[in-house]
Amino acid sequence: MKKIVISLGGSVLVPSLESNNISRYVSVLERIAGKCRIFIVVGGGGEARRYIRVARDLGVGEATADELGILVTRLNARLLVAGLGDAAYPRVAENYTEAKEFAETGRIVVMGGITPAQTTDAVSAVLAESVGADLLINATSVNGIYSADPKKDAGAVRHEHLTPQELLDIITGARMNAGANIVLDIVAGKVIERSGIPLLVLDGRDPENLYRAIVEGAYVGTIVCEESSNPLLS
Ligand code: UTP
């Protein structure tokens, strides 16, 4: 069975606690789980940002704010585990070894953040490398990686295909522009490059996009891999 790691943006799964998309994701993930091994890394979303903002207002350092963000990602992950019931391993993995151990049960493995100074994109890339995933999917609130921020620039064009090096250039270039929208964090970019695991960035606001990509090989988004072929069909 193929192994697929899915980075599920908090902004997609839990934009806010009340406006969560957990039940829609549960039904899609249960259908996908019968066809491949899935590992899900859940982001912090709006609630993490609220905690981090309040912590900064208290004058705490960035690492402490990150620790709070990690706790919220794990809380979101726990909520997804609860929704998935028997389909998921009942605990949220807190490191990569645990994730591998939990996967031996054949159930969906869910995790959140791990360590400060990164985001769950980095966690998903390291997890993909750790478990030898065939594919990494980043389900986010944009349908791919654009030449500019599509929410601000009407002329922004979606990249259909990027090499890992081109992705890294975009990430490091974006860091130099204040306020630029960074697609993935730098750790994620580097791990994607060194592992050679293909990455698909797609719009996760509709969970069916995940089903179509994984089960039917059909997607709208950006593929990051060395060749321009579709790794979903290989
Ligand atoms: P996210 O991965 O959700 O960050 O982690 P994000 O960029 O806000 O992603 P979206 O918008 O939800 O998709 C939330 C916060 O948790 C901390 C960071 O502070 C991050 O901004 N975090 C997360 C860590 O410090 N380490 C981790 O491994 C994961």
Side-chain angles (χ1 to χ4, degrees):
M1 253 194 202
K2 272 192 177 176
K3 285 184 202 156
I4 301 182
V5 173
I6 301 165
S7 178
L8 202 45
S11 53
V12 160
L13 189 69
V14 198
S16 75
L17 202 46
E18 290 73 22
S19 64
N20 75 78
N21 287 313
I22 291 178
S23 62
R24 288 169 69 214
Y25 261 101
V26 164
S27 77
V28 167
L29 293 172
E30 282 173 347
R31 280 188 283 139
I32 296 171
K35 303 181 190 302
C36 58
R37 282 278 176 84
I38 45 181
F39 299 75
I40 301 168
V41 182
V42 178
E47 304 304 329
R49 273 190 284 277
R50 288 174 64 195
Y51 269 90
I52 289 168
R53 200 168 45 240
V54 171
R56 281 188 186 137
D57 289 346
L58 289 171
V60 310
E62 285 300 303
T64 307
D66 281 345
E67 297 278 9
L68 284 163
I70 292 169
L71 286 173
V72 178
T73 63
R74 289 181 175 169
L75 200 54
N76 288 340
R78 186 69 188 76
L79 207 50
L80 180 62
V81 165
L84 284 166
D86 287 344
Y89 189 83
R91 273 182 52 209
V92 171
E94 295 191 357
N95 58 57
Y96 303 106
T97 310
E98 274 189 0
K100 283 198 270 193
E101 281 169 12
F102 296 174
E104 282 169 21
T105 61
R107 298 200 206 172
I108 299 172
V109 175
V110 185
M111 65 193 297
I114 293 289
T115 189
Q118 59 173 35
T119 73
T120 46
D121 291 335
V123 176
S124 66
V126 176
L127 179 63
E129 193 175 48
S130 241
V131 302
D134 300 284
L135 177 67
L136 171 61
I137 297 182
N138 193 291
T140 183
S141 54
V142 192
N143 66 357
I145 300 171
Y146 279 74
S147 57
D149 184 348
K151 286 170 185 156
K152 293 180 191 149
D153 184 344
V157 179
R158 190 180 64 238
H159 296 288
E160 299 294 327
H161 171 260
L162 290 169
T163 64
Q165 188 55 53
E166 286 168 338
L167 173 68
L168 261 180
D169 291 345
I170 289 172
I171 294 170
T172 49
R175 279 162 61 89
M176 285 179 239
N177 298 323
N181 198 19
I182 301 173
V183 267
L184 292 170
D185 70 40
I186 185 114
V187 180
K190 288 196 162 176
V191 176
I192 287 161
E193 196 221 18
R194 77 176 186 188
S195 69
I197 295 170
L199 165 73
L200 170 61
V201 180
L202 52 68
D203 188 345
R205 288 171 298 184
D206 179 1
E208 291 298 330
N209 286 339
L210 266 186
Y211 186 88
R212 281 190 280 272
I214 294 172
V215 180
E216 296 164 6
Y219 68 91
V220 174
T222 301
I223 282 279
V224 180
C225 64
E226 284 300 343
E227 303 86 34
S228 58
S229 60
N230 179 351
L232 293 163
L233 301 175
S234 60

